[in-house]
Amino acid sequence: MTAIPHASDLRPGFADPVLSGQAVYRAVLKGMSYPGRLQALPATVDAPPPLSPVAAGVLLALADLDAPVWLDPAGLATDDVAGWLRFHCGCPVVEDRATAAFAVLDATSAADLEGFALGTPEYPERSATLIIQVPRLAEGEGHTLTGPGIKGSTRLRAEGLPEGFWRALADNRLLFPQGLDVILAAPEGLACLPRTTIVSE
Amino acid sequence: MQPNDATQAQDTLDGYNFAYLDEQTKRMIRRATLKAVAIPGYQVPFAGREMPLPYGWGTGGIQVTAAVIGPDDTLKVIDQGADDTTNAVSIRRFFARTAGVATTERTTQASLIQTRHRIPEAPLTEDQILVYQVPIPEPLRWMEARESETRKMHALEEYGVMHVKLYEDIAHLGRIATSYDYPVRVNGRYVMAPSPIPKFDNPKMDMMPALQLFGAGREKRIYAVPPYTRVESLDFEDHPFEVQAWDEACALCGATDSYLDEVVIDDAGGRMFVCSDTDHCTQRTASREAAE
């Protein structure tokens, strides 16, 4: 985790950090505002694998020295990824998940959401935002979502997520106003599940 | 300015970052807005910056707008419903010069609307974001001065004091006399100050398709109402929430369904009622003239 990659091995960040950062933020804002709706990533990112371009774009737009990032030890916490984030975002890459503002997980390890910051009753915003890499997202099928930002109900299929993830998400919902917010990152774009979203079969 | 067309900014200022704020400040505000959307009605503290205009002129709204705005946006700014007042004109010009964005006075053409104390009469859509300028974000502040206490009250959902305040109105005056900044409950949880909009506008917040963001510069708070979210004005079963109504119609466009300002027009006590939303009034007048 501590090795610094050689500069010539370092992949680039956004071509235009200001305008791409704004565009990606707006996609995330729209995603959080309309949970379950797929938002395409309005920028191209040459992310260091196994970090996906969409997850990398979200981090480039939102992570910095005030927003520590935690990387899933099961695959994502490589020197390449950590070095790339440190260089482009200037963010601390932390090993203690409780201190992370953003946590990047692979779908396969998303059943265990214990230990991330949940905020406090007085300051519920001090909670982690999880960026979960999934192989595919599709609207109009899969789980039914209701809650703020959703007119009536909507459906979202997120592939590769274990059953335990959906159970953890239901528990997370009960903690409101505390709780985790989730950004699902797939090759086709991102979709969000803020803590207010109610997921049913 | 042509009322029908968005105006593209001519020249932008050199030496400033896009939309004035530095990138780290924008990221901080952006993260705050995302958490605000995830916790509807909860006030997220943020590290508000000093802006090149005084507190009370929309420093909170401007910081939110600066963090949200992009080159493809079309910005509309209103002050008490009007596009042509000092505050609205200077904020619109500020973003035209620092971000080079197109500006408009037409509600339907805007993708981003910054407002002081009104919600436009035209229904907003999913492709729009409404940014409110907020002077006092804490609805409980007049009853409890201590931030540590109001924070605890929100955490414990302890809102009885707000109903007592409304009840005292009824006891003294026979009705709820609060006519602006009328407290609302968002998604059945947080009691929220809708900023000093007239209570006439409160029903528009309920299940609005557009995202609503609130920025308080002096108090350094950001909060939000996501789209399609329940916003209920507090009331009592025997004293249900009511909005203002007028006996007059707008003297300029004849509207009977919009919020009217009373304007004194001479020294003899003469007065007229006109739409507070200037774009609404202009569009109605234009379509009436076109029909004639």
Side-chain angles (χ1 to χ4, degrees):
Chain A
M1 288 280 288
T2 49
I4 297 165
H6 196 268
S8 60
D9 300 333
L10 201 62
R11 290 161 185 261
F14 285 139
D16 185 334
V18 173
L19 297 185
S20 295
Q22 186 273 338
V24 170
Y25 158 69
R26 277 290 277 273
V28 179
L29 181 65
K30 191 123 199 182
M32 279 289 176
S33 302
Y34 301 94
R37 256 193 233 179
L38 198 54
Q39 311 291 333
L41 192 77
T44 49
V45 185
D46 183 15
L51 189 64
S52 82
V54 171
V58 173
L59 290 172
L60 283 178
L62 293 171
D64 63 20
L65 72 167
D66 292 326
V69 176
W70 178 89
L71 297 168
D72 187 353
L76 276 159
T78 66
D79 287 346
D80 274 357
V81 174
W84 186 83
L85 285 173
R86 282 198 194 95
F87 182 82
H88 289 295
C89 302
C91 60
V93 177
V94 294
E95 291 186 36
D96 176 9
R97 49 164 78 186
T99 59
F102 293 97
V104 193
L105 292 84
D106 191 71
T108 48
S109 37
D112 174 24
L113 304 185
E114 291 292 320
F116 293 111
L118 298 169
T120 66
E122 280 89 3
Y123 293 93
E125 83 281 9
R126 295 179 183 174
S127 64
T129 301
L130 309 183
I131 302 169
I132 303 177
Q133 299 191 164
V134 297
R136 181 173 166 268
L137 284 171
E139 286 179 359
E141 46 186 291
H143 287 86
T144 300
L145 313 178
T146 54
I150 300 165
K151 191 181 183 184
S153 68
T154 188
R155 298 185 75 187
L156 179 74
R157 179 179 300 284
E159 286 180 3
L161 288 166
E163 201 45 48
F165 167 77
W166 300 104
R167 276 199 301 275
L169 209 59
D171 292 344
N172 181 56
R173 157 85 198 129
L174 298 176
L175 296 173
F176 191 86
Q178 292 163 264
L180 305 165
D181 304 306
V182 175
I183 300 172
L184 299 171
E188 50 274 345
L190 61 93
C192 298
L193 300 169
R195 64 192 79 180
T196 49
T197 301
I198 302 159
V199 183
S200 51
E201 283 309 312
Chain B
M1 181 190 229
Q2 286 290 319
N4 291 320
D5 290 305
T7 309
Q8 195 63 47
Q10 294 303 312
D11 49 349
T12 51
L13 281 175
D14 286 334
Y16 285 91
N17 190 25
F18 177 80
Y20 185 78
L21 290 177
D22 62 280
E23 289 305 301
Q24 196 190 334
T25 299
K26 285 191 208 166
R27 275 192 299 271
M28 173 269 296
I29 294 173
R30 286 167 181 168
R31 288 192 298 262
T33 59
L34 292 173
K35 287 298 180 190
V37 170
I39 318 167
Y42 167 77
Q43 304 159 50
V44 181
F46 79 110
R49 302 298 197 241
E50 201 146 331
M51 298 301 285
L53 77 172
Y55 290 133
W57 285 71
T59 53
I62 286 185
Q63 289 180 79
V64 172
T65 299
V68 169
I69 202 165
D72 300 333
D73 276 312
T74 303
L75 178 70
K76 172 184 163 84
V77 184
I78 51 173
D79 173 5
Q80 302 270 19
D83 292 274
D84 52 5
T85 53
T86 311
N87 199 194
V89 170
S90 58
I91 292 172
R92 201 161 56 230
R93 188 159 163 270
F94 176 79
F95 284 110
R97 294 187 70 188
T98 58
V101 295
T103 57
T104 185
E105 297 189 0
R106 295 277 307 269
T107 303
T108 50
Q109 287 181 352
S111 61
L112 192 58
I113 302 173
Q114 183 172 330
T115 177
R116 174 177 175 272
H117 306 185
R118 271 316 303 280
I119 297 174
E121 305 289 0
L124 301 183
T125 68
E126 290 191 0
D127 297 321
Q128 295 177 306
I129 296 176
L130 188 59
V131 178
Y132 296 74
Q133 301 172 197
V134 183
I136 312 245
E138 179 50 74
L140 305 171
R141 186 62 72 232
W142 301 114
M143 283 73 77
E144 173 53 64
R146 289 167 295 180
E147 170 69 14
S148 55
E149 283 302 306
T150 51
R151 199 158 271 287
K152 212 169 283 172
M153 290 159 84
H154 281 295
L156 299 173
E157 224 174 326
E158 181 58 66
Y159 293 132
V161 65
M162 185 56 95
H163 275 100
V164 170
K165 177 185 179 276
L166 296 175
Y167 175 73
E168 281 178 350
D169 271 4
I170 296 171
H172 289 146
L173 307 161
R175 63 190 172 82
I176 297 174
T178 306
S179 60
Y180 66 94
D181 210 354
Y182 190 104
V184 295
R185 190 148 200 183
V186 182
N187 200 36
R189 176 60 177 81
Y190 282 99
V191 165
M192 182 189 94
S195 85
I197 58 170
K199 65 178 177 180
F200 179 88
D201 286 340
N202 275 23
K204 296 177 191 167
M205 305 179 85
D206 184 38
M207 303 303 277
M208 184 189 277
L211 169 65
Q212 303 171 72
L213 296 172
F214 298 76
R218 188 195 294 113
E219 304 282 326
K220 298 178 175 47
R221 296 288 185 274
I222 287 171
Y223 52 106
V225 176
Y228 304 120
T229 299
R230 274 185 299 132
V231 178
E232 301 150 294
S233 303
L234 300 182
D235 62 358
F236 299 96
E237 273 177 23
D238 52 344
H239 285 273
F241 174 75
E242 287 174 339
V243 299
Q244 294 98 331
W246 291 263
D247 297 329
E248 294 80 3
C250 171
L252 299 177
C253 75
T256 54
D257 57 349
S258 76
Y259 187 81
L260 301 180
D261 286 336
E262 185 177 7
V263 183
V264 176
I265 49 176
D266 55 30
D267 290 342
R271 59 197 58 207
M272 63 193 255
F273 287 86
V274 294
C275 288
S276 137
D277 184 335
T278 51
D279 175 56
H280 182 71
C281 203
T282 309
Q283 296 310 314
R284 281 180 52 89
T285 310
S287 63
R288 198 174 55 182
E289 280 168 0
E292 280 168 4

